[in-house]
Amino acid sequence: MTIEILMPALSPTMTDGKLAKWHVAEGDTVAAGDVLAEIETDKATMEVEAVDEGTIGKILIPEGTENVAVNAPIAVLLEEGESDSDIKAESSAAAPQKEEKEAKEEKPEDKAEETDVRPQAPAAAAAPASDEDKFFAETVTQTVREALRDGMAEEMRRDKDVFVMGEEVAEYQGAYKVTQGLLQEFGEKRVIDTPITEMGFAGVGTGAAYAGLKPVVEFMTMNFAMQAIDHIINSAAKTLYMAGGQLGCPIVFRGPNGAAARVGAQHSQCFASWYAHVPGLKVVAPYSAADAKGLIKAAIRDPNPVVVLENEIMYGKSFDVPVSEDYVIPIGKAKIERAGTDVTLVSFSISVGRALEAADALAEQGISAEVINLRSLRPLDTETVLNSVRKTNRLVTVEEGWPVAGIGAEFSAVLMENGFDDLDAPVLRVHGADVPMPYADNLERLALPQIEDVINAAKKVCYAG
Amino acid sequence: MTKTKTGTKDSKRRKTALKSVAKKTPKTKQAAIPAEQLLQFYKDMLLIRRFEEKSGQLYGMGLIGGFCHLYIGQEAVVTGIQAALTDIDTVITAYRDHGHMLACGMDPKGVMAELTGRADGYSKGKGGSMHMFSRDKKFYGGHGIVGATAPLGTGLAFAHKYREDGGITACYYGDGAANQGQVYESYNMAALWKLPVLYVIENNKYAMGTSQERSAAGELYKRGEGWGIPGKKIDGMDVTVVYREAQEAVDFVRGGGGPFILEVETYRYRGHSMSDPAKYRTKEEVQSVRDERDPIQTVRNMLVADKTYSEDDLKEVEKEIKQIVGEAAEFAQQSPEPDPSELWTDIVL
């Protein structure tokens, strides 16, 4: 059977080109890799190489021919033991086949219809069930910092594959003392001080997770993770999909996120919407110490890459934390911190505190606010928020980050799409000012959402002066 | 396969190649590589060559899309290095990765079906040329971000050390990637923690269209010196040289010596990707490498000189490879496109 040499495409967008020159003549023997011809497009000139060995039986398209369609036969190659007569026999046999093919191609809409069947995105999974309430029967008072440490320590005792790495996590006991005591208990093999090399150690952690270890990678602050974001997204989040499910990446990236106090623009940024944007990641942002412990344990146990957005100002705040080591918060489950009937305030991380204080003030003015602590930013528990709005008919979002494409913007869209008929007022967003964070005390205060802003927004959607 | 027309040229080539081999491997230093091993090299390299030629052809026919970076010319590098590794060792590379997958023992059918974006591809058609993995064969990708494989490979080596399993990681990247900052962040940690990682710089002289002379100051294999990482530059067009040097480097790394940098000088015959007309170098430059230093012809010449295997034996190998590649191409075209429902799977576990 003779082999047809076809006009190749140089790129997926090329449809035709010029056959500029033949390097072989009929009767020449060629081996795989030999240059047969040169073709040209408006962008490039390329050589056509032989893939099979044989003798050039016939040149079908002479050199200098313009607009040769991609995949058109340009020559016929004879294999060992074949002769010219094979060409004739086959080309006459091939002709009707070609017509058949063309006839088929007359109805391109058939194929379009066939390929256009787009599967629906799976409906947002219902928020997972949680049995967390029962664990609050026995609690201790702990800071967020201690809760994070205890959560990590419990998981490290439970699973030898869990280790902690980052800048100052071991001997210094953590830049913010979150890893205090871990080196003493688990030793330097599992609590590892890295050089100041975010991209490097995020990549090393990700590689170790490919091999099945469960790294907890601490960034001194999430601001510095911007140097490592390629590994978080391209190397960690996308791998399971790119590998067709073969290879996951069980890793935790954690550190303080958002504004601290008076540290200026490069150290004060909320990355919530950056990471929440990325399929393949899970993203959590604890508010209380109980959240911190339940979520860090869930993050370490999760087989996917999880970003844990902590908050420096919250590290020293104390809360009741369940004592049980079985207390784990399912990722994707929001918490109603305070029930109310008139307006829903939805928030995460440090802003939950502002929403709760605003709710106290609003109650004094006769407005009952329901406060939802999202806890997870990916997946988002839209169900809990939509259920709440069904009751209150009003939504105000509260976050420190910038407004454009932020978490508040996402909830505005969720409400437009799925809660429009439940709304009695537009969704309002309370957020950080759309500026780089200023240093001056007064300007910084102006840039951050304040309790007063939340109160005003809530009153506005309640049409209460 | 050998043509009467090129027969004279071939035998001339053989002689030159043999002379240079004899020069490079003095008998006093190393035992000869057994003929069976040479034959295996020939098979492995020929499989990559024919596979890549077929990939190029399928790309030209529109059956493979996107970016497609062929390994033609560089076959001796991965073949020689992989022959020096064991089953417990892990491998990672960048986007010119088809050869590595075949050298790791991945099924040519599954690789080719991934190239055509079909359901039976290694990543169910969701990864493509640059993103394929096989946990079974310890091949950890296939990564499209230049330089990213250095810390990822260092992390795989970290896991070997953490588990004390005796394995090492072969971490491949190119001369272009060698200029990325994260490579040096990796060197630092690998040296600091004495991680069992063999960095293999596949220096094919061109970072896409920019020659090494125009993009890299100094010698690449010396770039670990500041961290105390030993390095060596070797001829990557002779698989026996690559194999022997890799054995030494692997022994060093496995023996607890920490990282080692092997800069392997090689050459890619084709453009950076399929759509690269390669105007930044002359045809004569490419042709002279093909004629004088082709890694497959070189090992074939050795086999012919060795005489353990007859010309018929070699032809049999060539036939076998042709069949494997033909079957892979057939399989890759017959395999269906992934089911539309696959759009929404494998995002999170």
Side-chain angles (χ1 to χ4, degrees):
Chain A
M1 169 126 171
T2 58
I3 297 169
E4 281 185 337
I5 297 168
L6 305 178
M7 178 74 173
L10 304 185
S11 74
T13 50
M14 174 179 159
T15 54
D16 61 69
K18 177 181 176 185
L19 206 166
K21 190 174 176 199
W22 276 107
H23 284 261
V24 291
E26 290 178 5
D28 283 357
T29 53
V30 295
D34 286 356
V35 175
L36 301 178
E38 270 174 39
I39 56 173
E40 280 175 16
T41 67
D42 52 347
K43 281 188 286 192
T45 304
M46 288 275 271
E47 289 168 344
V48 183
E49 290 177 7
V51 177
D52 302 286
E53 64 273 14
T55 308
I56 299 292
K58 193 169 178 56
I59 284 176
L60 302 172
I61 308 271
E63 64 180 30
T65 310
E66 306 258 9
N67 305 324
V68 181
V70 164
N71 277 341
I74 55 173
V76 178
L77 189 72
L78 302 175
E79 290 193 283
E80 220 170 334
E82 291 173 344
S83 68
D84 284 2
S85 57
D86 294 300
I87 304 174
K88 281 164 202 135
E90 278 183 30
S91 47
S92 56
Q97 273 179 7
K98 217 176 169 190
E99 275 166 33
E100 215 173 275
K101 201 182 161 204
E102 276 162 16
K104 240 188 196 171
E105 281 170 358
E106 271 170 33
K107 287 186 187 170
E109 68 272 22
D110 286 355
K111 189 160 163 56
E113 266 172 40
E114 194 187 314
T115 52
D116 269 356
V117 183
R118 178 174 294 172
Q120 287 296 306
S130 176
D131 62 351
E132 59 192 283
D133 290 347
K134 73 177 186 198
F135 295 106
F136 281 83
E138 194 191 343
T139 59
V140 289
T141 303
Q142 273 193 320
T143 61
V144 169
R145 173 182 286 122
E146 290 163 340
L148 286 166
R149 190 263 325 271
D150 285 2
M152 285 189 278
E154 285 174 17
E155 294 309 302
M156 289 176 82
R157 282 176 212 127
R158 194 172 164 264
D159 186 344
K160 284 193 165 47
D161 285 342
V162 179
F163 68 94
V164 175
M165 72 191 305
E167 293 154 9
E168 312 290 6
V169 297
E171 296 202 0
Y172 195 90
Q173 304 285 297
Y176 295 100
K177 298 289 176 282
V178 174
T179 52
Q180 194 148 35
L182 294 184
L183 174 67
Q184 284 66 28
E185 180 174 353
F186 299 102
E188 59 186 18
K189 183 182 168 183
R190 297 180 68 195
V191 186
I192 301 151
D193 277 327
T194 65
I196 300 176
T197 185
E198 279 83 10
M199 192 176 203
F201 68 70
V204 167
T206 303
Y210 287 169
L213 295 182
K214 293 162 189 165
V216 177
V217 173
E218 175 177 309
F219 292 107
M220 196 181 289
T221 82
M222 291 310 288
N223 300 287
F224 314 144
M226 213 164 2
Q227 298 220 48
I229 202 165
D230 176 59
H231 283 298
I232 300 173
I233 295 172
N234 272 321
S235 305
K238 294 179 183 172
T239 296
L240 183 71
Y241 197 83
M242 295 194 301
Q246 259 191 87
L247 184 72
C249 188
I251 190 169
V252 173
F253 299 104
R254 51 157 291 268
N257 172 65
R262 308 284 313 278
V263 290
Q266 291 180 336
H267 284 64
S268 313
Q269 183 175 340
C270 176
F271 290 89
S273 72
W274 289 46
Y275 293 112
H277 186 64
V278 183
L281 283 182
K282 290 189 178 182
V283 184
V284 299
Y287 157 63
S288 68
D291 288 351
K293 187 165 179 194
L295 289 172
I296 190 74
K297 284 167 68 86
I300 294 170
R301 290 184 191 186
D302 199 281
N304 302 290
V306 183
V307 176
V308 182
L309 301 173
E310 300 161 6
N311 185 284
E312 187 196 325
I313 291 167
M314 294 304 292
Y315 279 151
K317 302 269 195 279
S318 293
F319 296 85
D320 290 339
V321 179
V323 172
S324 169
E325 293 195 4
D326 295 327
Y327 167 70
V328 178
I329 297 174
I331 293 174
K333 180 84 178 163
K335 182 184 180 191
I336 298 172
E337 293 281 350
R338 175 189 174 120
T341 53
D342 298 333
V343 58
T344 301
L345 306 178
V346 62
S347 190
F348 59 93
S349 188
I350 189 172
S351 296
V352 173
R354 294 184 184 119
L356 286 169
E357 286 194 51
D360 285 343
L362 287 164
E364 285 170 17
Q365 298 175 45
I367 294 173
S368 164
E370 178 148 302
V371 177
I372 297 176
N373 170 8
L374 287 170
R375 304 194 297 196
S376 295
L377 301 173
R378 187 177 189 97
L380 266 182
D381 182 358
T382 55
E383 186 190 340
T384 295
V385 175
L386 287 167
N387 283 341
S388 176
V389 174
R390 220 157 276 147
K391 181 173 66 176
T392 63
N393 310 114
R394 291 162 173 88
L395 180 68
V396 171
T397 65
V398 191
E399 67 186 310
E400 275 194 350
W402 292 312
V404 179
I407 301 296
E410 175 63 17
F411 271 105
S412 300
V414 167
L415 266 290
M416 286 299 285
E417 288 171 357
N418 301 311
F420 188 72
D421 292 336
D422 294 319
L423 286 173
D424 283 347
V427 174
L428 282 190
R429 295 175 292 164
V430 176
H431 49 73
D434 203 8
V435 299
M437 186 65 72
Y439 166 71
D441 190 34
N442 63 327
L443 295 181
E444 187 183 59
R445 207 165 41 247
L446 290 170
L448 288 170
Q450 302 297 326
I451 295 162
E452 204 56 35
D453 300 321
V454 184
I455 295 169
N456 290 339
K459 283 164 78 174
K460 197 168 173 190
V461 298
C462 290
Y463 305 111
Chain B
M1 147 169 234
T2 319
K3 295 279 118 23
T4 34
K5 203 183 160 192
T6 53
T8 350
K9 207 160 93 191
D10 272 0
S11 51
K12 231 186 258 166
R13 258 187 241 161
R14 253 167 244 157
K15 274 177 206 155
T16 351
L18 279 173
K19 220 191 281 170
S20 69
V21 167
K23 238 190 283 171
K24 273 171 200 150
T25 54
K27 278 173 200 160
T28 47
K29 203 177 163 195
Q30 285 140 332
I33 291 175
E36 304 84 72
Q37 177 87 66
L38 286 180
L39 188 73
Q40 191 60 46
F41 286 153
Y42 182 58
K43 262 189 197 173
D44 293 347
M45 292 197 290
L46 198 63
L47 174 63
I48 297 173
R49 173 77 51 98
R50 294 289 171 262
F51 184 94
E52 292 292 64
E53 286 165 352
K54 186 57 87 176
S55 303
Q57 187 190 26
L58 295 187
Y59 189 92
M61 292 162 74
L63 289 163
I64 296 174
F67 295 127
C68 186
H69 309 90
L70 301 181
Y71 200 64
I72 296 175
Q74 300 183 213
E75 296 91 346
V77 183
V78 79
T79 304
I81 303 273
Q82 290 305 121
L85 298 178
T86 68
D87 286 347
I88 50 168
D89 300 327
T90 49
V91 179
I92 190 164
T93 189
Y95 49 81
R96 195 176 307 284
D97 55 356
H98 313 160
H100 300 71
M101 295 186 267
L102 298 176
C104 284
M106 287 167 69
D107 182 359
K109 288 181 179 169
V111 179
M112 194 69 95
E114 188 61 35
L115 296 182
T116 53
R118 305 302 173 94
D120 295 301
Y122 265 94
S123 300
K124 303 186 204 165
K126 289 153 75 165
S129 165
M130 300 184 283
H131 312 295
M132 267 182 262
F133 307 81
S134 170
R135 182 162 266 188
D136 182 39
K137 300 291 180 191
K138 307 252 187 348
F139 178 75
Y140 289 87
H143 294 269
I145 305 297
V146 177
T149 47
L152 294 171
T154 307
L156 290 169
F158 177 95
H160 284 303
K161 182 160 188 188
Y162 190 91
R163 293 198 165 118
E164 297 168 16
D165 62 10
I168 75 162
T169 301
C171 177
Y172 294 85
Y173 51 89
D175 49 298
N179 295 316
Q180 286 278 18
Q182 55 183 321
V183 172
Y184 303 97
E185 299 189 27
S186 305
Y187 285 0
N188 186 36
M189 284 180 279
L192 202 58
W193 301 334
K194 278 207 176 295
L195 299 180
V197 54
L198 174 62
Y199 295 112
V200 182
I201 304 175
E202 295 196 56
N203 183 353
N204 65 17
K205 314 274 193 289
Y206 294 91
M208 198 170 149
T210 306
S211 68
Q212 198 202 333
E213 289 72 32
R214 297 201 298 123
S215 60
E219 294 274 10
L220 302 181
Y221 73 98
K222 288 183 179 169
R223 287 188 176 182
E225 279 179 358
W227 294 274
I229 304 175
K232 199 166 181 184
K233 179 154 75 176
I234 62 166
D235 174 14
M237 300 306 275
D238 181 341
V239 68
T240 64
V241 172
V242 177
Y243 174 60
R244 285 185 167 119
E245 295 288 353
Q247 279 181 315
E248 277 186 29
V250 165
D251 285 349
F252 175 86
V253 173
R254 206 186 300 283
F260 193 95
I261 299 166
L262 211 49
E263 178 185 349
V264 190
E265 289 195 293
T266 182
Y267 200 81
R268 70 169 147 75
Y269 297 176
R270 298 292 190 96
H272 164 74
S273 66
M274 286 302 294
S275 48
D276 170 14
K279 291 285 184 203
Y280 42 83
R281 57 186 189 186
T282 62
K283 280 181 188 172
E284 291 70 32
E285 177 183 313
V286 181
Q287 201 54 46
S288 78
V289 179
R290 287 181 111 139
D291 287 347
E292 291 156 27
R293 300 177 62 211
D294 183 75
I296 296 177
Q297 193 58 48
T298 300
V299 82
R300 196 182 200 282
N301 294 344
M302 289 178 198
L303 281 163
V304 169
D306 175 85
K307 292 196 175 88
T308 307
Y309 297 101
S310 66
E311 184 65 29
D312 281 351
D313 292 334
L314 299 184
K315 281 204 166 148
E316 195 53 41
V317 167
E318 286 148 17
K319 220 173 110 186
E320 187 193 328
I321 296 295
K322 189 177 174 184
Q323 190 179 341
I324 292 170
V325 171
E327 283 171 7
E330 185 62 24
F331 179 82
Q333 292 172 68
Q334 294 308 317
S335 172
E337 287 191 314
D339 190 87
S341 65
E342 285 292 347
L343 182 66
W344 293 102
T345 62
D346 307 320
I347 300 162
V348 288
L349 284 166

